[in-house]
């Protein structure tokens, strides 16, 4: 990969667009990226990484603050990169997610990240993809490595490759695992470990199952559990043989007890039979005597039942007689009531009701013919009254219409509409002036709040700066003290019989002893971390001061010269004016529908006045016509009713019809009474005949012999019971089993029961014991079979577990035959580390004039639990190997640079030999002496000679004289955005 062009806009410290054409840089082969601290040198490398991977190297990526604080509000953080790969030239345009101002209203909204990848075909760029996921996959394939590998091969980040040199074995292993993707070997170790644990759990389950069966066998047999080393199968088989003999003896005792119990049971049953037959004979004879003594009473009951049954034949006619007596009484009462109503209706009862009925029928017919004319006259009177009422209502409505106020209402509402129109035109200007004054007030508020915050931030920056300087002094003191006590530190790492890293001797008669408060490597790392933390805090406070200063300046410019009191006074007046105008507009809006309604009402009232006049004329004509018709009908009705006590035809008809109804009702009631008397006489005669035929002299005698059905049923049941008992007793006395018992003596049943109970208890105990022994033996046989099966299932699991335990322990570096006690994944990483060391030594031989070389050893270093990850530096001048931490600052830089370049060579080969023609080295060259700097520059020149473009990031002044082609990053004094310029 060779970078052709880089454009940065709104990214990091660069607010304006920065355009770097790498054509001149590629021609030179070696260029310097220079600038003061914090100017943004590393941000250019961050932009390259962001364009390719949407991320930046190291811890800065966790903050995800890509957008420049100096960028315009609507400016997106954008990076554009053109680079040539093996497949061609591509252009990547990527923007980070950022908060942009809303297009409508106030506030901000999140603008999502975007990417666009194009490929040069001839003289034009053809789009490839604009999807984030597809772009990431494409760029990773084009570059041939991921972000971590890229930062170790193309961008050698500041301080990180020297940290790799001095890292612990664990830290070095973790980094190499990430770079060389050795996770599959860790997954193999994990699978073996999980497989071993799974087999161990399965084996424990089988062992538990076998132990459970052994415990159950011990419980069933009543024997102790065997020793763990004994054979459980042989132990269980012996218990089965012993229990078989016990069962045979129990079966013999059970058979003898069963035979003895059968003999006593037969004797008991015979004695109980004789005693039962004697008891039955005595009971039958006593019951027969008792039944014969109650015979007279039974015969009297039978006679009483016979009379009651005959009397019941007469009693069935009594309800009929009673019903007809009630009917005769009701008919008499109805006849008397009808006669009374008739006398009331006529004034007196007529001598001949039938003749009076005929006269009334003729009168009803005559008055019925006059009813329609009377109804017609009443309808005309109702119509006449309705017309008069309608005329009165129309006169009232006409007066109301003449006095309407609709014209005055229309005039008032029209005036409100005109005022609302004028207010609506004035409102926008007033509101605009209010918004302007509010903006000025907000600016004043920001000035008041930002001024103390800015002063406080400046104070905090001063404190942070002092703390950073103090932390650096502490670190330098710790480092100096550690260097002074380095002999004691080296002595602490000596092992008995091991070679001394300084003199090479394996005898250590007087090793140096550390002072009680001498710092070690960890103390120095802690102090260095404190320096880094203090620098980060100082940078954060510096950023805050610049942000607050910019915001304060903008707020003061916006606030202007107008005072807050003037602004608030004017704002109050404008708000009152706005309220007044809005009220006028609201009243005008409310008046609009009322005005339309008033105008519509005026039209309706005019139409209604005309309709009222026309309706009144029509009603007066109808009133005169109805009066004429009513006079004619009234004359005809008066003539027809002359000579009658009635003035109205319908009243005459209704009264005559009512009197006719009463006469007809009286005649019907008299006929019903005659029929009821005749029916009662017939029913009484039939009941008397039935009593004589049943053998009674009168109806009263028959009623006296009656019994209730319940009493008859009870007497019948008594008779049947007596007869049945006589029959049953006779049958019992005739039973052959009760014959010839007079000469037999009663047996002693109690003695026989006691003897049988004793034999029964003996039999039950013997049978229970035999059954218990049988079940124990059956259960023991089943458990023996279960034990054999579970033991057979356990055997292959134990065999597999032994193999898995040995293989897992070997891969984890815990097996005795793993001589270096190294894990499989660590072994692979150690092999990769040996490759890196070999590649680094090619560079280191040049950089150190053959003095130093890196050696990879499988031995465990001080404090390491596993071997294989230790790097030592061999000094060819003395022939002694040294820990990398004992190197000086310049030596550490040189060795670390060689190691980083060697690591880059190995990773490049691992990535498929990708042609990486652009390299950046971001490291402090200021700690090198002139000779070492010459060697380093020669090495970088050799990289250039191999076709690479090498960019060196440094602010050291001497580097500017050594490297003529420079990219200068300037940080302005007014805390503004950084700028970039090219010096060739």
């Amino acid at each position: 990969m060779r970078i052709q062009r880089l454009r940065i806009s709104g990214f990091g410290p660069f607010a304006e667009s920065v355009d770097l054409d790498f054509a001149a840089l590629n021609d030179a082969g070696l260029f310097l990226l220079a600038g003061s601290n914090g100017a943004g040198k590393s941000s250019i490398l961050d932009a390259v990484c962001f364009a390719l991977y949407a991320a930046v190297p190291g811890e800065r990526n966790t903050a995800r603050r890509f957008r420049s604080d100096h960028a315009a509000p609507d400016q997106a953080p954008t990076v554009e990169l053109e680079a040539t790969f093996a497949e061609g030239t591509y252009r990547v345009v990527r923007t980070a997610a950022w908060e942009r101002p809303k297009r409508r209203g106030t506030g901000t909204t999140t603008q999502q990240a975007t990417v666009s990848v194009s490929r040069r075909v001839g003289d034009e760029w053809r789009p490839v993809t604009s999807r984030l996921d597809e772009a990431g996959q494409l760029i990773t394939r084009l570059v041939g490595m991921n972000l971590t590998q890229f930062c170790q091969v193309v961008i050698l980040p500041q301080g990180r490759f020297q940290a790799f040199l001095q890292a612990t074995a664990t830290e070095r292993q973790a980094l190499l695992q990430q770079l060389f993707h050795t996770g599959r070997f860790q997954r193999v170790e994990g699978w073996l470990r999980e497989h071993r644990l799974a087999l161990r759990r399965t084996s424990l389950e089988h062992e538990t199952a076998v132990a459970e069966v052994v415990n159950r066998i011990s419980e069933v047999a009543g024997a102790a559990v065997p020793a763990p080393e004994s054979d459980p199968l042989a132990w269980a088989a012996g218990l089965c043989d012993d229990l078989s003999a016990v069962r045979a003896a129990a079966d013999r005792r059970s058979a003898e007890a069963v035979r003895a119990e059968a003999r006593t049971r037969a004797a008991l049953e015979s004695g109980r039979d004789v005693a039962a037959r004697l008891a039955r004979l005595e009971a039958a004879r006593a019951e027969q005597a008792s039944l014969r003594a109650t015979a007279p009473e039974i015969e009297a009951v039978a006679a009483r039942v016979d009379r009651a049954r005959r009397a019941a034949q007469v009693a069935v006619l009594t309800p009929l007689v009673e019903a007809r007596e009630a009917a005769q009484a009701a008919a008499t009462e109805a006849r008397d009531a009808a006669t009374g109503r008739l006398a009331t209706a006529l004034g007196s009862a007529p001598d001949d009701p039938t003749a009076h009925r005929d006269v009334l029928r003729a009168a009803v017919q005559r008055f019925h013919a006059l009813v329609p004319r009377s109804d017609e006259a009443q309808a005309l009177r109702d119509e006449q009254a309705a017309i008069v009422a309608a005329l009165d209502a129309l006169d009232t409505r006409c007066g109301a219409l003449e006095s309407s106020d609709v014209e005055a209402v229309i005039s008032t509402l029209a005036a409100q509409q005109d005022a609302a129109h004028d207010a609506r035109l004035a409102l926008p200007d007033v509101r605009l002036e209010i918004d302007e004054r509010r903006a000025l007030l907000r600016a004043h508020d920001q000035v008041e709040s930002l001024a103390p915050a800015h002063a406080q931030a400046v104070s905090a920056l001063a404190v942070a700066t002092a703390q950073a300087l103090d932390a650096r002094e502490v670190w330098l003191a710790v480092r100096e003290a550690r260097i002074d006590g380095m002999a004691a530190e080296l002595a602490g790492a000596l092992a008995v019989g091991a070679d001394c890293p300084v003199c090479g001797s394996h005898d250590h008669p007087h090793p140096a002893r550390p002072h009680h408060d001498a710092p070690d490597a960890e103390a120095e790392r802690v102090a260095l971390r404190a320096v880094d933390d203090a620098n980060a805090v100082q940078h954060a406070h510096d950023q805050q001061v610049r942000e607050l200063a910019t915001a304060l300046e903008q707020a003061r410019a916006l606030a202007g010269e107008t005072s807050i009191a003037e602004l608030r006074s004017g704002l109050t007046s404008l708000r009152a004016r706005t309220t007044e105008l809005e009220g006028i507009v609201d009243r005008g809006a409310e008046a609009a529908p009322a005005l339309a309604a008033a105008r519509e009402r005026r039209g309706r009232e005019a139409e209604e006045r005309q309709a009222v006049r026309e309706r009144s004329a029509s009603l007066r004509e109808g009133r005169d016509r109805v009066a004429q018709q009513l006079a004619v009908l009234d004359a005809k009705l008066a003539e027809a009713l002359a000579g009658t006590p009635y003035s109205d035809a319908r009243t005459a008809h209704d009264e005559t019809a009512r009197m006719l109804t009463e006469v007809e009702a009286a005649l019907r009631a008299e006929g019903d009474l005659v029929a009821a008397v005749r029916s009662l006489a017939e029913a009484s005669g039939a009941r008397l005949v039935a009593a004589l035929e049943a053998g009674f002299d009168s109806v009263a005698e028959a009623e006296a012999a009656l019994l209730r059905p319940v009493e008859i049923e009870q007497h019948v049941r008594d008779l049947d019971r007596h007869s049945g008992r006589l029959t049953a007793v006779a049958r019992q006395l005739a039973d052959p089993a009760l014959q010839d018992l007079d000469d037999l003596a009663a047996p002693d049943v109690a003695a026989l029961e006691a003897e049988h109970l004793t034999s029964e208890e003996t039999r039950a105990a013997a049978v229970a014991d035999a059954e218990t022994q049988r079940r124990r033996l059956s259960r023991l046989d089943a458990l023996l079979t279960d034990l054999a099966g579970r033991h057979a299932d356990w055997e292959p699991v134990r065999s597999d577990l032994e193999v898995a335990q040995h293989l897992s322990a070997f891969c984890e570096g815990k097996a005795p035959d793993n001589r270096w006690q190294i894990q499989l994944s660590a072994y692979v990483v150690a092999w990769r580390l040996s490759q890196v060391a070999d590649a680094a030594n090619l560079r280191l031989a040049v950089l150190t004039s053959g003095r130093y070389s890196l050696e990879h050893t499988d031995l465990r270093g001080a404090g390491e639990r596993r071997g294989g990850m230790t790097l030592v530096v061999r000094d060819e001048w003395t022939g002694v190997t040294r820990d990398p931490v004992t190197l000086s600052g310049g030596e550490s830089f040189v060795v670390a640079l060689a190691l980083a370049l060697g690591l880059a060579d190995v990773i490049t080969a691992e990535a498929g030999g990708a042609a990486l023609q652009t390299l950046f080295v971001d490291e402090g060259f200021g700690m090198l002496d002139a000779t070492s700097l010459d060697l380093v520059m020669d090495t970088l020149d050799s990289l250039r000679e191999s076709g690479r473009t090498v960019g060196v990031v440094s602010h050291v002044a001497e580097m500017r004289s050594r490297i003529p082609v420079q990219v200068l990053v300037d940080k302005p004094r007014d805390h503004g955005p950084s700028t970039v310029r090219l010096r060739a």
Side-chain angles (χ1 to χ4, degrees):
M1 181 193 78
R2 183 184 294 277
I3 299 177
Q4 303 294 343
R5 182 179 296 275
L6 177 66
R7 295 185 181 91
I8 308 172
S9 175
F11 183 90
F14 308 108
E16 303 298 331
S17 178
V18 174
D19 191 347
L20 283 179
D21 188 353
F22 275 70
L25 304 180
N26 292 331
D27 292 340
L30 180 65
F31 67 92
L32 175 67
L33 187 60
S36 59
N37 288 332
K41 302 184 297 297
S42 298
S43 295
I44 293 180
L45 308 186
D46 291 348
V48 174
C49 290
F50 176 77
L52 294 174
Y53 298 100
V56 298
E59 290 76 8
R60 295 191 300 277
N61 190 56
T62 58
R64 307 296 294 178
R65 290 193 60 190
F66 301 137
R67 187 172 182 272
S68 175
D69 297 332
H70 305 286
D74 57 348
Q75 184 178 5
T78 307
V79 177
E80 179 180 342
L81 177 71
E82 296 179 12
T84 300
F85 302 94
E87 298 182 9
T89 301
Y90 287 81
R91 181 174 64 190
V92 182
V93 181
R94 192 184 295 272
T95 65
W98 62 291
E99 294 293 325
R100 64 167 179 81
K102 292 184 178 178
R103 295 186 176 90
R104 296 181 179 178
T106 60
T108 61
T109 184
T110 301
Q111 182 69 38
Q112 299 299 328
T114 63
V115 67
S116 173
V117 181
S118 306
R119 182 177 182 179
R120 181 187 292 276
V121 179
D123 294 333
E124 63 178 5
W125 292 99
R126 293 185 181 179
V128 177
T129 182
S130 60
R131 291 184 52 177
L132 296 173
D133 54 347
E134 291 181 356
Q137 296 172 2
L138 173 63
I139 292 173
T140 301
R141 180 176 59 82
L142 291 174
V143 179
M145 59 188 67
N146 57 26
L147 173 63
T148 304
Q149 294 173 325
F150 185 81
C151 291
Q152 287 291 336
V153 175
V154 178
I155 296 177
L156 304 184
Q158 185 175 8
R160 294 182 64 85
F161 58 84
Q162 189 168 352
F164 175 72
L165 173 65
Q166 300 177 355
T168 64
T170 303
E171 295 170 345
R172 190 177 293 130
Q173 179 179 351
L175 178 60
L176 292 178
Q177 285 175 344
Q178 182 180 11
L179 293 176
F180 292 107
H181 302 290
T182 59
R184 58 186 181 277
F185 298 102
Q186 290 178 310
R187 290 193 292 272
V188 169
E189 294 174 4
W191 182 89
L192 287 173
R193 182 167 53 255
E194 294 297 329
H195 181 60
R196 171 175 54 82
L197 293 176
L199 286 176
R200 179 178 296 174
R201 287 193 295 269
T202 304
S203 178
L204 288 176
E205 291 174 358
H206 284 291
E207 184 179 2
T208 303
V210 170
E212 181 182 354
V213 176
V214 169
N215 290 333
R216 289 204 297 268
I217 291 175
S218 174
E219 180 181 355
V220 170
V225 177
E229 63 275 4
S230 62
D231 185 5
L233 294 176
W235 169 77
L239 292 178
C240 286
D241 295 338
D242 296 342
L243 194 56
S244 297
V246 174
R247 178 192 173 185
D251 288 342
R252 290 191 295 272
R253 291 192 299 270
S254 174
E256 179 61 30
V258 168
R259 288 192 292 270
E261 187 272 335
R263 291 192 296 271
T264 58
R265 184 175 64 252
L268 176 60
E269 291 175 354
S270 177
R272 285 176 175 172
D273 179 62
V274 173
R277 286 188 293 154
L278 289 173
R280 286 172 56 200
L281 178 61
E282 293 177 0
R285 289 174 177 173
E287 187 175 4
Q288 186 180 48
S290 175
L291 291 174
R292 288 176 178 174
T294 60
E297 297 177 2
I298 293 301
E299 291 177 356
V301 170
R304 193 159 53 248
V305 170
D306 179 63
R307 284 175 58 82
R309 286 175 174 172
R310 286 186 284 110
Q313 298 175 1
V314 179
V316 296
L317 298 174
T318 298
L320 178 61
V321 173
E322 292 175 350
R324 292 187 178 180
E325 288 176 349
Q328 179 183 348
T332 301
E333 183 179 357
R335 190 272 314 271
D336 294 342
T339 301
R341 288 194 302 272
L342 179 59
T344 300
L346 299 180
S348 61
D351 297 334
D352 188 358
T354 303
H356 196 69
R357 179 187 62 187
D358 296 338
V359 173
L360 289 174
R361 284 178 177 174
V364 167
Q365 293 176 358
R366 183 163 53 84
F367 291 142
H368 181 71
L370 295 175
V371 168
R373 293 185 177 182
S374 177
D375 293 341
E376 184 179 356
Q378 185 60 41
L380 289 172
R381 290 189 186 92
D382 296 338
E383 184 179 359
Q384 188 179 37
I387 291 173
V388 172
L391 283 172
D392 293 340
L394 288 174
D395 292 340
T396 302
R397 180 58 182 163
C398 186
L401 291 174
E402 293 298 334
S403 60
S404 175
D405 61 344
V406 66
E407 293 296 338
V409 172
I410 291 174
S411 177
T412 302
L413 294 175
Q416 292 181 358
Q417 287 274 53
D418 295 339
H421 177 71
D422 296 339
R424 194 177 297 109
L425 295 177
L427 264 177
D429 296 336
V430 177
R431 287 173 176 167
L432 179 60
E433 189 172 356
I434 288 176
D435 292 339
E436 292 176 353
R437 290 180 179 268
R438 284 176 176 171
L440 293 176
L441 283 175
R442 284 195 298 271
H444 278 289
D445 293 340
Q446 289 179 354
V447 171
E448 292 179 356
S449 61
L450 289 175
H454 178 262
Q456 185 178 3
V458 170
S459 176
L461 175 60
V463 174
T465 302
Q467 291 175 349
L469 293 175
D470 293 343
R472 181 171 182 81
E473 291 178 0
V474 171
W475 170 65
L476 292 175
V478 170
R479 182 175 180 84
E480 184 176 357
R482 183 179 172 224
I483 293 174
D484 294 340
M486 187 59 68
E489 184 174 340
L490 292 175
L494 293 176
V496 178
D499 294 339
C500 175
V502 178
C503 65
S505 174
H506 62 274
D507 187 16
H508 318 296
H510 302 290
R513 298 188 179 275
H515 193 265
H516 68 279
D517 58 350
D520 54 4
E522 179 61 25
E524 183 179 354
R525 281 194 292 271
V526 170
L528 184 58
R529 281 197 296 270
V531 172
D532 295 338
D533 295 341
N535 289 334
V537 172
Q538 180 189 8
H539 178 71
H541 283 294
D542 183 62
Q543 288 290 106
Q544 184 181 13
V545 169
R546 289 200 300 270
E547 292 172 358
L548 290 173
T550 302
L552 181 60
E553 201 174 307
Q554 293 175 351
R556 284 173 176 168
L558 182 61
E561 300 297 332
T562 307
S563 66
I564 295 177
E566 293 177 358
L567 291 174
R568 289 178 177 171
S569 176
L571 185 60
T572 302
S573 301
L574 290 173
R575 286 173 177 169
R577 178 58 178 162
T578 302
T579 303
E580 179 184 358
L581 293 176
E582 289 176 347
I584 295 174
V585 171
D586 293 340
R587 287 192 294 274
E590 295 173 356
L595 178 60
R599 288 171 176 168
E600 184 179 356
R601 172 187 163 195
R602 181 174 60 184
R604 288 198 308 270
E605 288 180 354
E607 294 176 357
E608 188 176 359
R609 277 194 295 271
Q610 181 63 30
V612 165
R613 295 190 187 100
E614 294 175 356
R615 179 62 177 163
S616 297
S618 175
L619 288 176
R620 288 187 178 91
E621 292 178 359
R623 181 186 60 186
D624 297 340
R625 175 179 49 77
V626 169
Q628 293 175 0
Q629 294 176 355
L630 183 60
V632 173
L633 280 176
D634 286 343
K636 291 180 180 180
L637 287 173
E639 181 181 358
L641 294 175
T644 65
Y646 307 108
S647 60
D648 178 70
R650 179 169 292 282
T651 304
H653 173 269
D654 293 342
E655 289 296 327
T656 306
R658 183 176 61 81
M659 289 187 290
L660 177 60
T661 300
E662 295 296 337
V663 171
E664 291 176 345
L667 290 174
R668 285 195 299 275
E670 186 66 30
D672 293 341
L673 178 58
V674 172
V677 170
R678 184 170 56 252
S679 178
L680 176 58
E682 292 174 355
S684 298
R687 184 174 62 171
L688 179 58
V689 171
L692 296 175
E693 289 178 352
F696 298 101
D697 295 336
S698 64
V699 174
E701 183 181 356
E703 291 178 348
L706 284 174
L707 292 174
R708 291 179 301 168
V710 175
E711 293 176 338
I712 295 175
E713 292 178 2
Q714 183 62 41
H715 290 320
V716 171
R717 284 197 295 270
D718 293 342
L719 294 174
D720 292 342
R721 190 182 301 111
H722 186 271
S723 177
R725 289 174 64 188
L726 283 175
T727 303
V729 169
R731 189 180 300 111
Q732 288 181 6
L733 293 175
D735 188 357
L738 299 183
Q739 307 301 322
D740 301 329
L741 291 177
D742 295 334
D743 298 334
L744 293 178
D748 189 356
V749 177
L752 294 174
E753 288 178 347
E755 184 179 0
H756 176 261
L757 180 61
T758 301
S759 63
E760 174 64 20
E761 292 175 351
T762 303
R763 182 197 64 79
V767 170
D769 182 58
E771 180 64 19
T772 299
Q773 300 304 328
R774 183 191 65 78
R775 291 180 180 177
R776 287 179 64 194
L777 183 59
S778 176
R779 179 61 176 157
L780 199 59
D781 289 338
L783 289 174
L784 180 58
T785 303
D786 190 13
L787 179 62
R790 297 194 182 193
H791 198 274
D793 294 338
W794 186 21
E795 283 299 324
V797 176
R798 287 197 296 181
S799 176
D800 293 344
L801 177 59
E802 291 178 1
V803 175
Q805 284 177 333
H806 177 74
L807 185 57
S808 177
F810 184 84
C811 291
E812 291 179 359
K814 299 177 182 179
D817 51 352
N818 188 332
R819 182 176 54 175
W820 302 112
Q821 299 291 293
I822 187 172
Q823 295 174 314
L824 174 63
S825 58
Y827 175 79
V828 176
V829 174
W831 179 69
R832 290 293 192 185
L833 183 60
S834 66
Q835 291 181 310
V836 172
D838 293 341
N841 285 331
L842 298 177
R843 311 284 186 183
L844 194 57
V846 177
L847 290 173
T848 63
S849 300
R851 176 179 179 180
Y852 292 115
S853 63
L854 287 171
E855 290 186 1
H856 168 247
T857 175
D858 292 332
L859 295 176
R860 286 180 289 176
E864 297 180 7
R865 295 182 300 172
R866 296 286 188 268
M869 296 305 300
T870 303
L871 282 178
V872 294
V873 178
R874 181 174 180 82
D875 189 345
E876 300 296 342
W877 290 2
T878 62
V880 177
T881 56
R882 300 165 56 185
D883 192 304
V885 299
T886 63
L887 298 174
S888 65
E891 291 173 337
S892 295
F893 171 74
V894 171
V895 174
L897 178 61
L899 183 62
L901 295 176
L903 181 62
D905 293 338
V906 175
I907 293 178
T908 302
E910 174 71 12
L916 301 175
Q917 298 170 312
T918 302
L919 175 67
F920 295 93
V921 181
D922 186 4
E923 184 57 49
F925 290 85
M927 62 181 66
L928 299 177
D929 55 25
T931 303
S932 299
L933 185 58
D934 289 339
L935 294 175
V936 169
M937 294 303 299
D938 291 342
T939 300
L940 296 179
D941 281 336
S942 66
L943 295 177
R944 178 181 60 177
E945 293 171 358
S946 64
R948 287 186 179 182
T949 299
V950 182
V952 177
V953 181
S954 178
H955 61 275
V956 178
E958 186 178 354
M959 300 295 289
R960 296 191 178 186
S961 61
R962 289 177 173 269
I963 304 176
V965 179
Q966 301 171 5
V967 176
L968 303 179
V969 182
D970 298 325
K971 180 174 66 174
R973 298 181 179 272
D974 58 355
H975 306 290
S978 298
T979 58
V980 178
R981 52 194 174 92
L982 179 63
R983 176 186 296 175

